[in-house]
Amino acid sequence: MELVLWGATSKPGLALPERSIGYIVLAAYVILFLLGIISRRRDFAQLGRRKGLNTFVLAATSIILSQLFLVVISSESQLPPFSSAQNSVAYLAPFGFVAFLIAGTTLNPLAALLIGFTSGLGRALWQTHQITDPFNYAFAAIIGA
């Protein structure tokens, strides 16, 4: 296993789903994300000034931690996907979940949801380029909270 200090690719970007089912899943994710924010709207008042600042700092930190010290997981015996000529490389981000787990234990579930979204956004922009990753991380964060 190889360790990469900084895992961001050179150009950030998000890719839209290729099939129609992907758009349905994306719409369901957006609806669930908005329902999570609406159902936890009272948590905005609980944040206050200091906890709001902590939420902002943890959100910025989560973007950095999602790119830091990545472990490359690849196998020579693994077959490449049909659409590429090379074996795909998977990255494990051991510190990618730290920020929203801290938010879930010290702040509230809404802060964890937002910080999980930013952590997934960092991973999606610079590594996977999948538009659903921010929602995956956000839902993992609120479940963890």
Side-chain angles (χ1 to χ4, degrees):
M1 284 193 287
E2 180 184 347
L3 182 68
V4 178
L5 178 65
W6 185 250
T9 59
S10 60
K11 184 179 177 186
L14 292 174
L16 292 174
E18 294 179 6
R19 292 186 267 166
S20 58
I21 190 83
Y23 287 101
I24 295 169
V25 170
L26 181 62
Y29 277 175
V30 170
I31 290 169
L32 287 173
F33 183 74
L34 292 175
L35 282 175
I37 289 176
I38 291 169
S39 69
R40 292 288 182 173
R41 66 183 175 273
R42 291 189 196 108
D43 290 348
F44 276 118
Q46 290 178 353
L47 284 177
R49 174 173 253 145
R50 184 166 185 231
K51 288 186 178 182
L53 180 64
N54 288 346
T55 302
F56 179 75
V57 168
L58 281 172
T61 304
S62 70
I63 292 174
I64 294 168
L65 289 176
S66 68
Q67 305 302 321
L68 199 60
F69 298 121
L70 299 178
V71 178
V72 178
I73 301 172
S74 64
S75 172
E76 294 299 324
S77 63
Q78 178 183 358
L79 293 174
F82 291 119
S83 61
S84 70
Q86 297 178 347
N87 285 347
S88 59
V89 176
Y91 293 100
L92 174 66
F95 300 113
F97 297 102
V98 171
F100 67 72
L101 289 177
I102 290 172
T105 57
T106 60
L107 298 173
N108 57 35
L110 177 67
L113 179 75
L114 297 174
I115 292 168
F117 185 83
T118 58
S119 179
L121 186 63
R123 185 154 169 89
L125 282 174
W126 285 286
Q127 289 176 15
T128 64
H129 306 292
Q130 298 296 319
I131 198 164
T132 55
D133 274 356
F135 300 106
N136 294 335
Y137 276 67
F139 298 144
I142 200 162
I143 289 170

